[in-house]
Amino acid sequence: MSLQGTWELSFLVDKDGRILEGRGACNEHLGLNLQSLIGRSFFSFIASDERSYFRRFMGQLNRPRAKRAALVSLQTTTSLRSYAMEAQAGRTADDNWLMFTRDTGGAEGLDDLDLPVVMADEGQFLRLVELAASQASASLDLTTIEVGGLSDAKKLSALGSEEIAAFERSVGETLSGTAHEGILSNPSRGLYNLLHDPSKSSAAIAEDLANVAGRHGISPAQAGIAHATMSVAPNTSLSNIRESLGVMQKRMPSYQSWDEPAKQKMSEGQIAAALGIAAFLLGVIGIVFYMMS
């Protein structure tokens, strides 16, 4: 399906979903003028139950066989409308044009596409949380969850690699579906960060993962699920979000901070130099004491 020449609305968005440019009758379709849309997250105009799928759609656009067309529901000031959407190459590798038309014939829904779960890197995750908080009307929850069976290979040693991979995929799918606008990261194996609605607590999310583990024949002890949550108020700063995330991750059993540099071992040359300096200083001290006596 190609919408070229028939689109009614289009937006240039960056990899975080932020609107950079727009064309078309924005007032008619979204109830807002173009100037007020620049800088906003386009996710706020996607139907809430489609946002996690839209995040996955956006995250796979740089792949060779990316899905580039889908049926989406856009939220106007008064109602939801269905549009056929096509993603086209933007001006750089980090942005894309999203083209929309109300001619929806033949388009597949976002949830019908076989889309991979998208895990943001830590820098992008922090930006996405900040952007979501800047547009939220109420507090959201920021949760860190560790699935010990994935972070500690000994816990699932009785399972084969394919069984473990299937469990890991199920964990990602479950968390992606729960995350606010699909905002999810996986800084190390078995460790996940997600932004989500407070109406579903971290304990409830952990219970969902325990049920997932059970369906894969994994006991609670093998799954080893730990979690911690902090609230993110509207307009919370990036530095405060980073600090909260760091506090929670440090509570996880196997946490290692991504911004804590690894301790470097001294080389043989450095050790020899240090010993030489120490011997010299001891010699100077010995001479001083000799002269004083």
Side-chain angles (χ1 to χ4, degrees):
M1 179 183 70
S2 176
L3 311 184
Q4 189 171 4
T6 65
W7 57 268
E8 301 170 70
L9 192 65
S10 66
F11 294 98
L12 181 68
V13 299
D14 66 15
K15 62 181 180 180
D16 296 337
R18 195 189 308 265
I19 298 172
L20 305 176
E21 294 182 31
R23 297 172 185 167
C26 298
N27 269 316
E28 176 188 345
H29 293 274
L30 300 178
L32 294 168
N33 62 50
L34 176 59
Q35 186 175 3
S36 68
L37 298 177
I38 302 302
R40 291 186 57 172
S41 170
F42 191 72
F43 283 79
S44 61
F45 299 103
I46 301 291
S48 58
D49 59 347
E50 294 181 8
R51 290 176 187 174
S52 63
Y53 294 104
F54 186 71
R55 177 76 61 195
R56 293 163 68 172
F57 178 87
M58 293 294 296
Q60 53 88 53
L61 287 177
N62 62 345
R63 300 189 177 195
R65 298 183 180 180
K67 306 284 187 180
R68 306 197 71 86
L71 183 68
V72 299
S73 300
L74 296 186
Q75 178 71 60
T76 70
T77 53
T78 57
S79 62
L80 281 173
R81 291 180 183 172
S82 292
Y83 289 80
M85 174 187 70
E86 182 179 286
Q88 298 181 7
R91 295 177 178 173
T92 73
D94 290 331
D95 52 53
N96 287 275
W97 280 102
L98 300 179
M99 323 290 287
F100 298 90
T101 177
R102 281 177 287 191
D103 180 7
T104 60
E108 289 185 274
L110 282 170
D111 54 351
D112 294 324
L113 301 178
D114 183 17
L115 300 171
V117 173
V118 173
M119 301 289 181
D121 62 41
E122 289 310 298
Q124 184 187 27
F125 179 79
L126 290 167
R127 294 195 305 271
L128 292 174
V129 173
E130 180 190 33
L131 183 58
S134 72
Q135 297 183 179
S137 58
S139 294
L140 295 165
D141 276 356
L142 181 62
T143 290
T144 294
I145 287 185
E146 181 174 355
V147 182
L150 295 173
S151 57
D152 181 358
K154 295 178 182 178
K155 289 182 178 292
L156 299 181
S157 58
L159 300 180
S161 59
E162 291 186 3
E163 294 172 300
I164 295 173
F167 172 50
E168 191 167 13
R169 283 195 299 272
S170 295
V171 168
E173 291 276 356
T174 300
L175 293 177
S176 177
T178 301
H180 174 76
E181 297 182 355
I183 300 175
L184 176 68
S185 73
N186 182 204
S188 62
R189 192 170 189 195
L191 188 66
Y192 301 88
N193 302 310
L194 69 153
L195 189 69
H196 60 97
D197 193 303
S199 62
K200 185 156 192 173
S201 67
S202 61
I205 297 171
E207 185 177 352
D208 286 347
L209 295 183
N211 292 332
V212 168
R215 292 197 294 272
H216 286 266
I218 297 170
S219 69
Q222 289 175 307
I225 299 169
H227 57 91
T229 298
M230 288 188 175
S231 181
V232 178
N235 297 309
T236 299
S237 68
L238 184 66
S239 60
N240 285 340
I241 294 167
R242 180 186 293 276
E243 182 179 359
S244 295
L245 190 62
V247 168
M248 291 190 301
Q249 289 191 331
K250 288 175 183 176
R251 295 177 183 173
M252 297 298 103
S254 65
Y255 169 74
Q256 292 183 350
S257 174
W258 71 79
D259 54 11
E260 179 181 344
K263 295 181 180 179
Q264 295 183 350
K265 295 182 179 180
M266 294 179 67
S267 66
E268 292 182 3
Q270 290 173 322
I271 293 172
L275 290 174
I277 292 171
F280 172 75
L281 292 175
L282 287 173
V284 172
I285 293 171
I287 292 171
V288 171
F289 274 106
Y290 175 77
M291 293 177 66
M292 290 178 64
S293 63

